[in-house]
Amino acid sequence: MGQRGKRSAGSCDSCVNYVFDEECQYYVCEAHLDEDDMVRFLSSESFHCPYYRLDDEYQVVRHQM
């Protein structure tokens, strides 16, 4: 399910599932939220996504050290 809109910088903006869709020209969430999670996400500013993963591009480098 894609999602339009912006959430706080501490959530979607730093998540690995939040990617730019070049075809649509906006950011979308690639996590597959079920219907209940989607309702909580759209109705709350403090939703804690169960699929959130920090987009840490240096994680592999630190693992190799």
Side-chain angles (χ1 to χ4, degrees):
M1 275 184 183
Q3 299 163 7
R4 282 183 156 183
K6 221 173 185 184
R7 293 288 176 193
S8 66
S11 59
C12 295
D13 292 340
S14 63
C15 182
V16 72
N17 292 316
Y18 195 59
V19 297
F20 188 74
D21 185 342
E22 292 187 19
E23 186 176 313
C24 298
Q25 296 296 309
Y26 55 81
Y27 283 87
V28 296
C29 178
E30 291 187 331
H32 297 288
L33 298 175
D34 64 13
E35 189 174 333
D36 294 333
D37 285 337
M38 182 60 78
V39 169
R40 280 188 292 252
F41 174 74
L42 294 174
S43 65
S44 174
E45 288 294 322
S46 62
F47 174 73
H48 297 286
C49 181
Y51 301 103
Y52 176 82
R53 287 190 355 223
L54 180 63
D55 186 15
D56 185 6
E57 59 191 51
Y58 297 107
Q59 181 179 13
V60 174
V61 174
R62 282 194 300 272
H63 181 70
Q64 292 173 348
M65 296 174 112

